[in-house]
Structures are given as C-alpha cells and as structure tokens.
C-alpha cells in the first residue's frame, strides 16, 4: 500500500518560520496613522511585546522558532499531510488531492500555531496577562491553551451572541483556565458605553476587539493578542506550508495548486507562502505553482473589495493598513464560517493578489457544505465550515482535472474540524441554510465611508 | 529533544488481532441459553455474520485483519503513543507516563476499531443494512462512519434522552449518512409497546438494544452490531495494545502498569490483553506487569459485582454470559461517563479478574474530572469523561511513585476526546457535579433478580 498519511517526527518540526516580506516584488506599503504618518514600533508597544513588533516589521526571510515554542508544538505537530484517496476515487479524478490537517491541535484548528509563540514572547517580555476577543471561538480557545502552557492569565471577550450560542467553545476556554466574558461587558469603558446605548445588543467582533485592546492598553502587566491579519501571525502560520514541503519531499511530489480558506489571510498565507517562496527563489518545481484563496461570496474582500488604506478593526482603533477591504464597518451576512467574516485581508496577501501572484475565488455557502459533507463521507473527518471553503475549491479543481485528464497535485489546508460547528450541519441537513448574495449595495456604502486618508487605488 | 510522540507508519498497522482466549489459564465458560443449553453459532446467525460469530467463539491466538479494514484504519491509524512530559513535571513524579491516544479517529474514540471490521464482515456476508443502539453516541457515530465506508445503510436507535440532549452526536451520525431515530420509536413492536405503556418515557439503552435487535432479526438484509462486551469486539480493540507494543519497542521501554477505563471491557481488553499475552508467553519484561481496570464507583461491576451467569442486556434478550455483574436490570446513576454505565463486564475481563490476573479499582466522578482538567491543562487534549477514569488512576499511580521514588512506566488508554461532552465540564466547573455512592441496596435488589439458571459463584 502506498502511504496516504505522510508523517514527520518531532525533530522535523521546522526551526525557522518563513517571512514572505523578504520576497515581495516591491516594498510593502507601511501601516499609517489616521493623520497620514507611518505607525511606529513604539506606538504598538502599549499592547504588543518587542519580539512581535519586530516580526511584524521584519524583512528577514527566516525567523527562528524558539525552542520552548517548538516544545509546545510537539504536543500535536508536525501535523499530517494526507492524500485523500477515497475522495479522489469518489470524484473519479486523475488529480492527486492532498490536505494538510491542522485539526489535530487540541483547540482543533491552525490558530494555536500563532497563539503559542505570541504567549511565549509575551511571557519573555514579563507580561503576566493577555486579552483577546473571540467570535466563533477558534482564536479564543487557542489563546487560552497557549496561555495555560506558559503560565499566563488569559481574559477573553467573547461576542455576546456567540457566548450564548456556543457554550461548548466557552467551556473549552475555561477548561484551559481562561476567564471568558460576554462582550460588551461592564469591565471596560467601551463595554459600559455600548451597554448603556443598547442593553440588548448582541455584540460584535469590533466591540470585543475594542474591549480587549482597552484593557491591554491600560495595564502594564497586560498585552493584547490578535489571531490573524497581521504579518507576524502569517509568519507564525508558515509552519503549515514548511512542514507540507518536507512531507512532499518525502514522497517526491510537489503541488501544482495550493488552496486555503481566506478570512484574515493567515491560514492561506500559512500554507501558500512557503511554496511561493520557492517560486521567488526560482525553484523549477514551483514555476507554474498556483496559490488560490477561497472566500465566501457573502464576504468577498479579495474578489470584490478595494485595494486601499483602511482600518483593521470595525471601530477604527488600529493603524490603517493597505489591503483589500469591503470597508471596515461592512457587516457580513451571518454565514456559519464565522472565521471568514472579515472585511479586509492580510497586507501581504493583498499585495500579492494585487500584483497577480495569487488567485482568489468566492464560493457560496451551500456549495461549501455540499463539499464538506462529501469529504466527511469519504475521508471521515468532519471539517469546520471555514475549511469547507477550501474543500469546495479543491473538489472543483479535481473535477476540472477529470475533464482535461490532467493529473495535477492539489494541496489544500484543512484548517480545522467541525466538532463545535455541528449546529451548522444541522441547518444544512434540515434545508434551513441559505446562500447570501454578494451585497453590492452594502459594500458600496461601506466603501464610501473609507477613511479620507486612504488613497483610492484598484 | 527526546521524542514524546511515538509514531508508526501506515505499513506498521498490525496485520493480525490478538485473541486472549488462546492464552486463558482455563477454558472460558460458554454462553448459555435461558434453558441452560449452550448458545450455538446458528442462533447468533440471525443477527451476526459468520466471520463475527467465528471470532466470538475462536480460540486462535492471532486473527488476520482484512486488507480492506486496514485500508480504512489508515485514515487515522496508527494512533500516537504520547509521553505526558508536562503532566509528569506538574506532578513532580519520577514515573514515565504514556498514553495511547484513540481520540484521533474521526468519531473521536476507539470505537471505530470494531465498527470498521464489523461493517466489513457484514458487507462481505451480503448484508446491506446494519442496526444498532447508542446512548452517549460514541458507538453510534462509529458505526455510522464505518457503514459509510463500506456502503452499508445504518439505522441507529438513540436513547430518547440522549437524542434530545446530544443533538451534535446525532448530527455527526447524519453527516456520515446514518438514519437516527429516537428510541423508543414507532418503527418496532418493542418501541410501540413501550410508547403505549409510557408515552413520555426517556428511553433506555436496554430498550434501544431491543429495537435494534428486533429489526435485525426480522430482516434478511439487515444485521445488528454491538460495540463492546462481546469477545469479537475485544479482539478488534487489541489493535490498540499491539500498536503500543511496537511503539514501546521503538524507544526501548516496556510498561509496568497498563490502565484503562472499564465499562463493557473493550477499551481495557484492547490495550491490556496484548501485554498480558506477552506475560502468558513468558516474556521477561512482562513478568511483573499489572493491568488495571478503572470503573466508576457508582457502577462498580468488577469491584462490587458477582461473578455469575447473567444477561448481557437489560431486557434479557441475549444469551447468558458468565461475568461480573451488578444484575442486568440494575440502573446506574446518571454519571457523565455514559460509556461506563454498564451492569456487567466482558467475559474475558471477568475471567481474568476472577483468576487474579488483572486488577480493578473504582473511582468517584468528581475525582475523575479533577484529573481530566489537570491533564488538559498540561497536555492540551480535553479528554472524554470515560477517559478521565484512566487518567485519575494513572495520576494516582504516578503520585505513589513520587512517594516511593520509583521510576515506573505507566501506560493508559486515552480512549477519546471530550469535544461532545463539554456540557459535563460545564457542570463540573459550576459545582453542579456530584459523586454517587456505591448503591449497595440497589445492587442487592438487582442481584436478587438474577436469572435462576445462573450459578451463584463469587
């Protein structure tokens, strides 16, 4: 039997992360303050430790992964690279479909890949507490896990509607020792103001971010941690693609196309950038490599957004970043892939997309669940709704290979399992799930509210 | 860094199961019919395929694992053997603690190890449909997965109270294409009678078994599948211990004590029997090996039960088996480790316990959750309530080593993750969880109702 699960030993965990900033065809646009001045490292120091700020700004190609971080990674990494032979057979495709399975982490997704180093660097900087926000719960549970591993207290502001609807995710964070509060809370000025204005508010990710940042900025022993979008997060996630490259080396293959769901950009950048690094380095095998970001058609920041300066958060607290955006106050439809409901995109993914080096496609919700269920029935694993986006695109790619007869090697990022998302599958099976159209009018409105400073480019 | 996760490649999946029947010190007591005559293979043929009946009765030491079964196992097996270095450090013990992690299966527990071969043998026998019952949902979801892999329809009778309280487990089965009905249902004579007598009944595992067996017995294209207790299930689960032995070989260690939760006996027999096989074969390393079954103090079939003939199910449909039992109509307290709420024990485990070759201990509910949370905070993985029983005993063993200074090698079976049991952790954290005393009076009553045929031995 040919191997279908390609495993690595603990000593094969990469020792360095890959930073695509070193290989960008043109210098990245700097983050700006609302007054137009570049954001400085000092200004970020109120909420981030020095090592994280350095990584955010770094143009070094390789950044060493601390030994203590790799020791924690050994609890579940290296993650398996799996050939989906039963899915291939069910599709009748000549394509070879591989997935990198990040659901093996205790929190069930790729998010701990960044939560662990963030907790480590904060502890190294003498920080004792971390705050963050969480919507669907993937990031919050990952930071709870990471904080526990390094002896940090973790306080999580969980969007009220999720806090009430997803008690199991909340319990998971509490099992790892984190404090979880429904946001808006009475613990912060922002929260109290929001509650006074609308006591029955369901909360929002923007509000929860504001609460977490307010608390971190106001306490010397406390920092804030973000789970996507920023470059240091994308750097940390490069471990996915770096491991996958080693795994492909073991079987003498190389992907023709790398596919990942796209929300803030860290799972896409994480798996695709190391391969794009090969391409930048002139590696023959990567000459025709395609990297495909898959976003929900109801929140199509890359395929329908504008490439311009915008805030990273809904409330306008962060520096302005040049990125594809639907407008920072655009409110995406309530799709079940909560991790993909983000108005913007990582600066690095945005620049590469703008320069034509990566591709993007938008897919409707129902088609992603069709793909996820087909996958589960072939390969066993029940995927997270976010991951179903990548599966959809991988299946479509494999079906095109069936038409053309090409035996392409497809790699996708199976970012997590769906154990805490079975309610979404319930609505899918009961026929209650709907597609959401591209909200053109809403996007136009929110783009019209872009910060004035932003240069309008496309 | 020393390896802490000991992995095997797909080609190292064992090719044969181990059957401890070959190594029993005395011949096993045969299953009997209520009239005292031995149960014959023909009588089991109404609900089981020939290969399963043969394995149930077999005294062969090694039974070949079919190639197609091993191919499905490759979706998640071999499962990792992990050294719990962070738990060791937290306990300050000189002991080496290892766990075999069966939660990596798509269904999240060791149950697919038997569901997959059972589905295979039924398909080989020309069967098109399988029925079964499920309480907590672990077995039902495993059979749903296995049925999907071999193209069999699967119908699951899920105890009504679980059907209503555990919708996510139900959804999991539906994702893998199974039909799930609340039991008692209107689909069977048994179900209709139960509903007529008590329309608001919460159902019971005994009733659900009866419904599944009734349907299987009445249809030529349909068989029934059981997830524990019977010998063929214990044989299938031996893959756990067989893999663990290979993994210990890789690092030049051998366990001093093997620990597993004990409900029906398949997870305990699965991990412990292959090591006991070494002992029976005179392997020096196994000379002082201890095998420890951990049961809930509210359902202490081994430590407080009687070794005698009793029915395997609550309603008295099955043949009588010689085993430790609390009486087939004993109703255990509603502990959260649903998989351990069984009145009896596997015949093989019972015989070995009776002959002093395995040990047993009963632990109270709260102490198991204490252990499970401590484990999660060290090793990341959130364990199932059943698995928490083994963790409790492993920690206690490690703490004794701390007192004596012995560097013993402890192996326990981490039978599954707790992703679908977070409600139990909620009650633990909120202080609502209680210990249940040993229900001496109830056990006396149910033992007084043992079938007359049963010889009273102790």
């Amino acid at each position: 039997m040919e191997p279908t699960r390609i495993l690595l030993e603990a000593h094969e965990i990469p020792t360095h992360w890959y930073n695509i900033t070193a290989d960008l065809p043109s210098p990245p646009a700097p983050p700006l303050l609302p007054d137009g001045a570049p954001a400085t490292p000092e200004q970020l120091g109120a909420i981030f430790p020095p090592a994280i700020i350095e990584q955010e700004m770094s143009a070094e190609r390789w950044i060493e992964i601390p030994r203590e971080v790799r020791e924690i990674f050994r609890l579940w990494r290296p993650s398996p690279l799996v050939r989906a032979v039963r899915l291939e057979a069910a599709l009748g495709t000549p394509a070879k479909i591989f997935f990198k399975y990040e659901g093996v982490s205790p929190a069930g997704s790729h998010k701990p890949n960044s939560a662990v180093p963030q907790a480590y660097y904060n502890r190294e900087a003498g920080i004792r507490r971390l705050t963050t926000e969480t919507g669907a719960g993937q990031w919050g549970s990952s930071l709870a896990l990471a904080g526990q591993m390094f002896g940090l207290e973790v306080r999580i502001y969980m969007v009220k509607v999720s806090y009430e609807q997803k008690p199991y995710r909340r319990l998971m964070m509490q099992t790892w020792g984190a404090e979880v509060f429904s946001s808006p809370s009475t613990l912060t000025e922002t929260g109290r103001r929001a509650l006074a204005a609308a006591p029955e508010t369901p909360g929002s990710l923007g509000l929860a971010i504001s609460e977490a940042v307010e608390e971190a900025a106001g306490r010397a022993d406390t920092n804030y941690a973000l789970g996507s979008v920023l470059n240091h997060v994308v750097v940390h996630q490069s471990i996915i693609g770096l491991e996958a490259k080693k795994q492909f080396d073991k079987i003498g293959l190389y992907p023709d196309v790398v596919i990942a769901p796209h929300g803030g950009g860290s799972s896409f950048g994480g798996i695709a950038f190391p391969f794009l690094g090969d391409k930048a380095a002139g590696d023959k095998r990567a000459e025709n490599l395609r990297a495909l970001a898959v976003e929900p058609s109801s929140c199509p920041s890359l395929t329908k957004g504008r490439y311009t300066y915008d805030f990273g958060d809904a409330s306008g607290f962060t520096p302005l970043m040049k990125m594809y955006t639907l407008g920072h106050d655009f409110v995406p439809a309530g799709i079940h892939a909560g991790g993909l409901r983000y108005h913007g995109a990582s600066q690095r993914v945005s620049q590469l997309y703008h320069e034509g080096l990566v591709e993007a496609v938008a897919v409707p919700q129902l088609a992603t669940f069709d793909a996820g269920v087909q996958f589960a029935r072939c390969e066993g694993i029940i995927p997270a709704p976010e991951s179903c986006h990548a599966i959809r695109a991988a299946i479509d790619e494999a079906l095109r290979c069936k038409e053309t007869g090409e035996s392409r090697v497809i790699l996708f990022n199976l970012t997590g399992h769906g154990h805490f998302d079975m309610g979404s599958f319930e609505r899918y099976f009961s026929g209650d799930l709907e597609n959401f159209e591209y909200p053109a009018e809403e996007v136009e409105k929110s783009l019209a509210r872009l910060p004035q400073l932003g240069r309008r480019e496309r």
Side-chain angles (χ1 to χ4, degrees), chain A:
Chain A
M1 294 192 257
E2 240 183 277
T4 52
R5 291 172 82 224
I6 298 94
L7 306 176
L8 300 174
E9 299 285 343
H11 67 84
E12 295 174 285
I13 292 176
T15 56
H16 291 74
W17 289 298
Y18 169 67
N19 179 13
I20 203 164
T21 308
D23 287 323
L24 290 176
S26 55
L32 301 179
L33 298 179
D35 65 6
T40 64
E42 290 67 33
Q43 287 156 330
L44 297 171
I47 56 170
F48 292 122
I52 290 292
I53 298 170
E54 197 185 315
Q55 289 176 5
E56 185 62 27
M57 309 291 192
S58 172
E60 290 296 315
R61 185 172 286 109
W62 299 104
I63 297 174
E64 189 170 7
I65 307 178
R67 187 186 52 81
E68 285 187 71
V69 169
R70 280 186 292 134
E71 269 179 19
I72 300 299
F73 282 164
R74 292 163 74 194
L75 293 174
W76 70 93
R77 303 207 73 87
S79 69
L81 177 73
V82 185
R83 178 152 172 210
V85 283
R86 295 177 55 86
L87 179 62
E88 289 171 15
L91 297 171
T93 177
K96 294 184 170 70
I97 307 175
F98 289 86
F99 60 90
K100 180 75 171 161
Y101 184 37
E102 291 293 312
V104 293
S105 82
S109 79
H110 65 295
K111 293 287 184 188
N113 295 337
S114 184
V116 171
Q118 289 195 51
Y120 168 79
Y121 289 123
N122 275 290
R123 193 204 60 183
E124 288 300 284
I127 290 298
R128 293 187 46 250
R129 298 172 74 251
L130 288 177
T131 64
T132 197
E133 73 290 335
T134 202
Q138 291 277 19
W139 172 246
S141 45
S142 301
L143 197 69
L145 170 73
Q148 176 63 235
M149 296 295 151
F150 289 108
L152 296 175
E153 289 176 33
V154 175
R155 177 172 284 183
I156 294 158
Y157 292 91
M158 186 170 187
V159 178
K160 185 178 170 191
V161 59
S162 296
Y163 184 91
E164 287 167 359
Q165 286 176 2
K166 293 196 139 193
Y168 280 17
R169 269 283 170 202
R170 170 168 56 78
L171 260 305
M172 197 174 199
M173 302 180 224
Q174 290 171 340
T175 302
W176 287 319
E179 288 182 299
V180 188
F181 293 96
S182 174
S183 167
S185 74
T186 56
L187 299 167
T188 66
E189 191 55 43
T190 312
R192 288 187 291 271
R193 213 178 306 126
L195 286 172
E200 301 303 318
T201 175
S204 74
L205 205 57
L207 255 176
I209 294 178
S210 306
E211 290 204 276
V213 170
E214 179 188 322
E215 181 177 342
R219 288 186 58 159
D221 67 346
T222 303
N223 266 345
Y224 167 76
L226 188 71
S228 188
V229 183
L230 294 179
N231 193 50
H232 64 273
V233 184
V234 182
V235 166
H236 298 158
Q237 294 294 352
S238 70
I239 197 166
I240 305 172
L242 293 168
E243 282 183 6
K245 278 174 46 173
K246 290 192 185 195
Q247 287 160 314
F248 275 115
D249 279 348
K250 292 215 170 197
I251 51 173
L253 285 177
Y254 198 90
D256 295 299
V257 54
V258 181
I259 298 170
H262 185 269
S266 74
S267 82
F268 173 71
I271 195 165
F273 285 1
F275 291 98
L276 291 176
D278 282 353
K279 196 171 188 169
D283 187 323
K284 276 279 174 201
R285 299 170 304 171
E287 208 168 27
N288 297 309
L289 178 86
R290 293 167 51 216
L292 177 61
V294 191
E295 56 186 15
S297 54
S298 59
C299 189
S301 55
L302 291 175
T303 55
K304 302 276 190 182
R306 187 175 297 170
Y307 187 48
T308 185
Y309 271 97
D310 197 4
F311 293 112
D313 67 319
S315 316
F317 284 147
T318 69
L320 293 151
M321 296 179 289
K322 191 160 180 193
M323 62 179 177
Y324 279 87
T325 178
L326 299 167
H328 61 278
D329 61 1
F330 168 72
V331 180
I335 56 166
H336 289 278
L340 307 185
R341 294 176 69 241
Y342 182 64
H343 68 276
S346 134
Q347 300 163 86
R348 299 295 178 269
V349 174
S350 293
Q351 181 176 348
L352 290 165
Y353 181 63
H354 188 66
E355 295 178 359
L357 295 169
V358 309
E359 302 171 29
V361 64
V363 293
Q365 174 160 261
L366 276 172
T368 65
F369 277 90
D370 293 344
V373 170
Q374 182 172 21
F375 178 81
R377 292 184 178 178
C378 291
E379 301 295 324
I381 299 164
I382 297 179
E386 291 81 2
S387 313
C388 290
H389 286 68
I391 299 172
R392 175 74 271 159
I395 289 178
D396 290 345
E397 191 72 27
L399 290 175
R400 273 189 295 275
C401 288
K402 186 177 179 178
E403 280 174 27
T404 62
E406 286 171 289
S407 174
R408 300 172 75 84
V409 177
I410 299 167
L411 167 64
F412 73 88
N413 196 350
L414 188 63
T415 50
H417 62 62
H419 299 172
F420 293 87
D421 304 284
M422 296 309 297
S424 308
F425 285 89
E426 172 143 54
R427 281 181 283 273
Y428 170 75
F429 286 122
S430 65
D432 288 348
L433 211 65
E434 51 180 327
N435 283 328
F436 295 98
E437 294 302 309
Y438 164 57
E441 206 173 305
E442 290 308 308
V443 171
E444 279 314 307
K445 280 189 212 159
S446 65
L447 287 177
R449 292 187 295 265
L450 278 173
Q452 284 311 305
L453 162 88
R455 282 160 291 171
R456 304 289 167 92
E457 296 184 31
R458 247 212 128 98

